[in-house]
Amino acid sequence: AAPSLPAQHSTLNMEELLRVAMEAAAADPSKERAFMEMLTRYRQHPSIARREREASESARARRETFRADFERERARIPQGVCLRMNSIDELVDAGCDWDLASEIMRFPILKFLTASHEQMEALPIIETVKHNLDRKMPLPYARAVI
C-alpha cells in the first residue's frame, strides 16, 4: 500500500515519497497505481506547479527573443532542403545558391530550421550528432536554431 499523505507536504518530502513509490512500482507492477497517485499529487503541489509555470514562461520568452533571428534565417533556406541532404549538390538542387549550400554544409544544424517537429523526432539519434551548435557559428545562426 502507498504511504498515506497529509493534504499538504513539502516538495522535498514528496520527492522522497515519489522516489520510494517509483522503486516499489518498478519492483512490483501491482504498485503502479500507487505510484501514479503519488505522481499526480506531486504535480499538483503549489511549488511544483509554480516551477513548471516559470519554466514554461522562461522558454516562451527565450523563443520570442530569438524569433526574429529564426524568421530571418528560415527565410533564407529553401523549402526543399531536408535533414537528410548531405552534399552541396543536393542542397543546390533543392534551391540553395552555392554560398548558402556551403554555409549549410559547414553548419548542418541550419537544416533544422526547415524541419517539422515530426521530422526531427524521426531522425535517428546517430544522425543528430552532426547537427550541433558550433562555437564558430555566427551568433544570429545560433540564436535561430536554439
Side-chain angles (χ1 to χ4, degrees):
S4 61
L5 294 176
Q8 197 74 321
H9 252 287
S10 74
T11 56
L12 184 58
N13 288 340
M14 287 196 75
E15 287 171 354
E16 179 62 23
L17 290 171
L18 186 61
R19 185 187 63 74
V20 168
M22 180 181 67
E23 289 172 354
D28 182 2
S30 67
K31 296 185 180 180
E32 183 176 347
R33 185 166 183 245
F35 168 69
M36 294 309 290
E37 289 173 7
M38 189 69 63
L39 183 59
T40 300
R41 292 191 69 182
Y42 176 77
R43 287 181 175 155
Q44 291 173 348
H45 192 279
S47 65
I48 299 303
R50 184 183 71 246
R51 186 184 321 162
E52 288 177 2
R53 188 175 53 254
E54 289 170 354
S56 174
E57 290 169 2
S58 174
R60 185 173 38 260
R62 186 184 71 216
R63 283 192 307 271
E64 289 304 316
T65 301
F66 299 149
R67 183 167 300 286
D69 290 310
F70 170 79
E71 297 294 340
R72 184 177 52 254
E73 296 305 324
R74 172 62 192 94
R76 293 178 54 221
I77 301 173
Q79 193 64 29
V81 172
C82 66
L83 292 172
R84 296 191 185 261
M85 292 183 169
N86 292 319
S87 72
I88 289 178
D89 292 330
E90 287 178 312
L91 292 168
V92 169
D93 290 343
C96 294
D97 61 39
W98 288 97
D99 292 334
L100 179 58
S102 294
E103 285 180 51
I104 292 172
M105 290 307 297
R106 184 169 175 216
F107 305 116
I109 197 168
L110 292 175
K111 291 186 278 186
F112 273 68
L113 297 177
T114 64
S116 68
H117 179 75
E118 293 78 23
Q119 290 170 326
M120 288 188 277
E121 288 292 324
L123 191 66
I125 291 175
I126 193 74
E127 288 189 32
T128 62
V129 173
K130 64 184 172 186
H131 298 96
N132 60 15
L133 288 175
D134 188 318
R135 64 183 176 166
K136 298 177 192 118
M137 179 180 281
L139 185 58
Y141 290 4
R143 285 182 177 159
V145 297
I146 288 180

